[in-house]
Amino acid sequence: MEKGVLKGIVIGVIIGLLIGYVVASFFPVFKFQKEESLLEKIKKRGVLIVGTSADWPPFEYIDKNGQYAGIDIEIVKKIAEALGVKLQIKDIKFDALIAALKGGEIDLVIADMTPTAEREKEVDFSKPYFSDVFVFVSLKEAPISSIEDLYGKSVGVQQGTTQEDWAMENLKGKCEIKSYTKVYPDMVLVLERGDVSAILVSKTVAEVIIAKNPKLKIAFIVKGTEEYAAIAVPENAEDLKYIVNKVIEQLKSTGELDKIIQQEIDKWLKEQ
Ligand code: ARG
């Protein structure tokens, strides 16, 4: 008798599961659905949301019409195009970009950002699309042409950047290091005002800034500071990263990236 009851329960459970399965397959709402990938989300939304720190010409800045402009902006336009979606840009403080990406506020970061080991722990990076070195910019008349000339003086860096890291490692105790949230125009203004003796930026950025500012010069190039720029995407967004990499590869191999770089430098120089 007891065996019979047990058998009944087992058969009952099996039949119940079978019915449940059949019902569930008719109503997809009951199904266990795979979580939507970021790429699927972007396509459904119809908009790619990009974070940048628009203070770094010729990579990203706000032009005289109040529009985002620069090399990085042109690159993400191509990515949005490849995805078949619109583009929305959010201007975020450089040192808050990674957190915004991790928090899902933006889909990717393009900000001439260097894939450092520390950042790699938090997000993923595309293939590199640019390489550069650091330079110090000072007033033309300032007697600065080597690191030693900066000792005892104050230098400006952007908060959260590899330039800030470099200054902390190499100048701490020798210079006063002042960190700012925006390079252009803020750090350029404090330099002109004499609040700092020099600012540390990338060579390409320095060149376009001094080209429009006769008071400034590149004081010297900093040895051993070669670094790359890449696009940051969230971890586990392989399908998005794949397309980002494909666009970068294509822009490089067709020579279009070089054209964009030249065109955006010229555009910046003609501004204002
Ligand atoms: N390459 C440097 C870094 O990754 C500086 C980038 C600054 N970019 C900007 N949009 N302000 O830390």
Side-chain angles (χ1 to χ4, degrees), residues 46-50 73 76-78 80 85-89:
V47 184
L48 174 70
I49 307 174
V50 170
I73 307 304
V76 280
K77 276 186 194 165
K78 300 281 180 198
V85 298
K86 291 203 186 104
L87 177 64
Q88 185 192 338
I89 299 195

Side-chain angles (χ1 to χ4, degrees), residues 52-53 55-56 60 94 111-114 119 158 160-163 183 227:
T52 194
S53 176
D55 61 354
W56 191 250
E60 46 263 342
F94 188 82
D112 190 23
M113 186 178 268
T114 304
R119 291 174 185 157
Q158 185 176 32
T161 58
T162 50
Q163 285 80 30
V183 175
E227 64 170 25

